[in-house]
């Protein structure tokens, strides 16, 4: 086996083993964080070095190409930045922190494997590895004042996740029965020749369910607001960002099974896109808890991503991948502020952010950039991503979808700017002390703002790389 093809995964596997050994000792929190941060940095460096690696492993079940490596690069950068600003791991008891970091790394390992899997059984195993680790992270939050939200959120997350996985596994059995193989490259010709017959379509749609759950697409969204609110701020930052881009990558591989003229699949994706955008944005309008608002807005952004998928074209998939990359950095920027501002890891309401610009101008600026980008205001990546998605949907003939998406974008601006107004124009509820971010948070904030701006002002390089990556995958 060519070890360089599996180098990022080997780094993560070594990190998981090291973290497991540290759970057996009385390791201090700072030591744990430093070790995991080193693992994240090594993972990021290895992923960047192996960006253009190509090859197959494990009897063709694991494909290393530009598509999978690009996803790993984005994931690794996002994970490292998340570790930088989550230095204190507020909300997680000291006793549970070794296990917390261990399951965080195993979840990331599962997501990394998922991006390269091109065989249904290995793909399902990687999905479950990442999912069950996340199920265990949610209830690790330290309850306060009789709060039952962490356990309630964990149970909902588990039940909905298991249901989605079961439907997905049933769909895999249909695909295997039709194609006689679990390898995507062998399934693809069979699915293309089957045309619009009922059995292949039903199998493919059930196969989509696992990724719809990860993206929190309507009606697989019920877990998202409760999990966002119930999990700790650091855990929510991970759940809200990194699994999303992997879900887009796997969904892109599944979409390759449907030829561009497949009306039923395109109609389903269009309908789910509209439902997700409308439900997510309208429900987010009335939220006062910031994390819950971001949970509902995440449902809406899943609808925007499905606009690119609904084209069933390589350029549409590439645009969705570009937007998912920008969304990852936008969400991390928002959660950076929540993690630093919250004094004890508790949830913040919009009123808790009143007067933040006077307490910490830097954090206010980072949060403002994040909200403007999520709202789709230029020159940030959110605007360019939405513009490219709308243009692609228009080219594919989805006129009604474009109009509805434009209306939903306008709705989203209202509740995002509510946060900006609280930060810059409202007076603080009480005499609050100034907030001085630690060095890691300052560094992560500068990097995230730079990435959100760079991807919005000069998107050509990332878009071209995404197009080449999708072409390599298809």
């Amino acid at each position: 086996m060519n070890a360089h093809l599996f180098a990022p995964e080997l780094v993560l596997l070594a990190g998981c083993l090291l973290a497991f050994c540290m759970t057996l000792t009385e390791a201090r929190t700072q030591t744990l964080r430093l070790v995991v941060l080193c693992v994240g940095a090594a993972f990021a460096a290895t992923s960047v070095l192996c960006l253009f690696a190509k090859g197959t492993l494990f009897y063709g079940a694991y494909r290393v190409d530009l598509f999978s490596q690009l996803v790993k690069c984005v994931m690794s950068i996002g994970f490292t930045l998340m570790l930088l600003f989550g230095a204190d791991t507020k909300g997680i008891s000291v006793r549970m922190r070794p296990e917390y970091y261990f399951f965080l790394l195993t979840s990331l390992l599962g997501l990394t494997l998922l991006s390269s899997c091109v065989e249904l059984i290995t793909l399902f195993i990687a999905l479950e590895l990442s999912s069950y680790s996340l199920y265990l992270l949610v209830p690790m939050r330290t309850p306060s004042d009789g709060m039952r939200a962490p356990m309630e959120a964990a149970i909902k997350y588990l039940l909905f996740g298991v249901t989605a996985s079961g439907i997905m596994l049933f769909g895999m059995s249909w695909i295997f029965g039709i194609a006689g193989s679990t390898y995507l490259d062998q399934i693809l010709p069979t699915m293309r020749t089957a045309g619009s017959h009922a059995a292949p379509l039903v199998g493919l749609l059930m196969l989509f369910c696992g990724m719809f759950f990860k993206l929190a697409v309507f009606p697989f969204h019920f877990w998202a607001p409760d999990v966002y609110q119930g999990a700790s701020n650091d855990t929510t930052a991970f759940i809200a960002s990194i699994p999303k881009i992997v879900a887009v990558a796997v969904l892109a591989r599944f979409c390759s099974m449907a030829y561009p003229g497949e009306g039923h699949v395109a109609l389903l994706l269009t309908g789910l896109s509209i439902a997700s955008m409308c439900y997510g944005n309208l429900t987010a309008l009335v939220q006062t808890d910031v994390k819950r608002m971001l949970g509902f807005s995440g449902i809406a952004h899943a609808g925007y991503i499905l606009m690119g998928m609904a084209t069933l074209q390589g350029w549409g998939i590439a645009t969705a991948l570009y937007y998912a990359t920008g969304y990852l950095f936008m969400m991390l920027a928002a959660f950076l502020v929540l993690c630093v501002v919250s004094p004890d890891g508790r949830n913040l309401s919009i009123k808790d952010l009143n007067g933040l610009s006077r307490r910490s101008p830097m954090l206010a600026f980072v949060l403002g950039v994040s909200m403007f980008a999520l709202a789709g205001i230029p020159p940030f990546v959110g605007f360019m991503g939405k513009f490219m998605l709308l243009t692609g949907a228009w080219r594919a003939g989805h006129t009604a979808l474009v109009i509805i998406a434009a209306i939903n974008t306008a709705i989203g601006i209202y509740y995002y700017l509510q946060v900006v107004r609280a930060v810059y124009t409202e007076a603080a509820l009480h005499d609050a002390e100034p907030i001085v971010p630690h060095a890691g948070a300052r560094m992560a904030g500068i990097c995230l703002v730079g990435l959100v701006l760079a991807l919005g002002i000069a998107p050509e390089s990332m878009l071209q790389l995404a197009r080449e990556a999708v072409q390599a995958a298809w």
Side-chain angles (χ1 to χ4, degrees):
M1 185 180 75
N2 294 323
H4 72 282
L5 297 178
F6 205 60
E9 291 83 351
L10 289 175
V11 169
L12 272 182
L13 183 59
C16 290
L17 293 174
L18 182 58
F20 175 74
C21 292
M22 295 186 73
T23 63
L24 307 177
T25 66
E26 297 293 333
R28 293 184 303 174
T29 300
Q30 292 300 323
T31 304
L32 283 167
R33 191 185 73 84
L34 183 60
V35 169
V36 177
L37 183 58
C38 291
V39 172
F43 175 46
T46 310
S47 299
V48 172
L49 290 174
C50 298
L51 177 61
F52 296 101
K54 295 180 182 179
T56 56
L57 302 170
F58 309 119
Y59 302 98
Y62 199 81
R63 182 189 299 167
V64 176
D65 53 20
L66 182 59
F67 183 77
S68 65
Q69 300 305 94
L70 178 60
V71 173
K72 292 172 192 176
C73 280
V74 175
M75 269 198 307
S76 63
I77 294 170
F79 181 72
T80 306
L81 292 174
M82 189 194 80
L83 291 175
L84 277 176
F85 68 72
D88 299 329
T89 322
K90 301 170 185 175
I92 306 295
S93 65
V94 176
R95 183 176 61 87
M96 296 296 295
R97 285 177 187 176
E99 288 78 10
Y100 176 83
Y101 283 120
F102 169 68
F103 287 117
L104 195 66
L105 285 175
T106 55
S107 179
L108 183 65
L109 176 61
L111 293 171
T112 304
L113 296 172
L114 197 59
S115 63
S116 284
C117 288
V118 290
E119 194 267 341
L120 295 181
I121 296 175
T122 54
L123 187 147
F124 184 78
I125 293 172
L127 176 64
E128 294 307 288
L129 174 62
S130 66
S131 297
Y132 278 91
S133 299
L134 286 179
Y135 301 154
L136 292 169
L137 287 177
V138 174
M140 285 186 180
R141 184 178 190 179
T142 305
S144 60
D145 299 328
M147 180 177 60
R148 296 188 303 170
M151 190 57 66
E152 180 184 341
I155 293 172
K156 287 183 179 180
Y157 197 19
L158 175 63
L159 290 178
F160 281 109
V162 168
T163 302
S165 296
I167 297 172
M168 183 180 180
L169 190 61
F170 191 37
M172 289 179 178
S173 69
W174 278 52
I175 299 295
F176 174 72
I178 294 166
S181 174
T182 56
Y183 287 83
L184 295 185
D185 57 350
Q186 297 177 19
I187 293 172
L188 183 60
T190 304
M191 296 295 290
R192 291 290 179 88
T193 55
S196 58
H197 292 86
L201 283 175
V202 172
L204 184 60
L205 297 183
M206 287 192 291
L207 201 61
F208 283 164
C209 289
M211 298 306 108
F212 288 160
F213 168 77
K214 285 289 187 185
L215 282 172
V217 172
F218 183 94
F220 300 89
H221 67 281
F222 290 102
W223 62 272
D226 293 324
V227 171
Y228 279 39
Q229 186 177 25
S232 68
N233 293 334
D234 304 83
T235 305
T236 308
F238 184 87
I239 294 173
S241 57
I242 295 175
K244 305 291 186 183
I245 191 167
V246 181
V248 171
V250 178
L251 195 58
R253 292 195 190 274
F254 290 162
C255 283
S256 66
M257 299 181 189
Y259 61 90
E262 182 54 74
H264 296 86
V265 175
L267 184 62
L268 172 78
L269 294 175
T270 301
L272 292 179
S273 174
I274 292 172
S276 298
M277 286 187 290
C278 293
Y279 176 82
N281 280 316
L282 292 175
T283 314
L285 285 172
V286 297
Q287 303 303 316
T288 57
D289 184 280
V290 179
K291 287 203 298 181
R292 195 169 181 84
M293 183 203 75
L294 291 175
F296 282 109
S297 77
I299 299 169
H301 284 280
Y304 297 136
I305 290 171
L306 287 187
M307 290 175 60
M309 298 291 176
T311 64
L312 298 179
Q313 298 276 3
W315 44 265
I317 304 295
T319 304
L321 184 61
Y322 165 75
Y323 187 78
T325 301
Y327 179 74
L328 182 148
F329 296 128
M330 291 185 285
M331 288 298 285
L332 286 178
F335 277 99
L336 180 153
V337 179
L338 297 184
C339 289
V340 176
V341 170
S342 180
D344 52 1
R346 63 181 176 86
N347 293 350
L348 297 177
S349 67
I350 295 177
K351 289 184 178 180
D352 291 326
L353 298 173
N354 287 357
L356 181 62
S357 60
R358 290 176 285 279
R359 299 175 64 193
S360 176
M362 178 185 176
L363 291 178
F365 178 72
V366 172
L367 186 59
V369 168
S370 173
M371 292 297 109
F372 278 124
L374 288 166
I377 295 174
F380 306 107
V381 64
F383 166 77
M384 186 54 65
K386 286 187 175 71
F387 177 76
M388 297 300 296
L389 288 169
L390 290 169
T391 304
W394 182 274
R395 285 175 55 191
H398 300 294
T399 306
L401 178 60
V402 171
I403 295 172
I404 294 172
I407 295 172
N408 274 278
T409 300
I411 295 173
I413 291 173
Y414 174 78
Y415 60 81
Y416 287 126
L417 293 190
Q418 268 192 324
V419 178
V420 178
R421 185 186 66 180
V423 168
Y424 281 97
T425 65
E426 300 290 342
L429 295 179
H430 47 79
D431 294 333
E433 296 181 357
I435 301 174
V436 181
H438 55 83
R442 292 196 297 270
M443 187 182 303
I446 293 170
C447 292
L448 288 169
V449 169
L451 287 168
V452 170
L453 274 170
L455 289 173
I457 296 173
E460 295 85 3
S461 298
M462 183 62 195
L463 277 170
Q464 182 60 31
L465 195 60
R467 292 190 189 100
E468 293 175 4
V470 171
Q471 187 177 4
W474 281 31

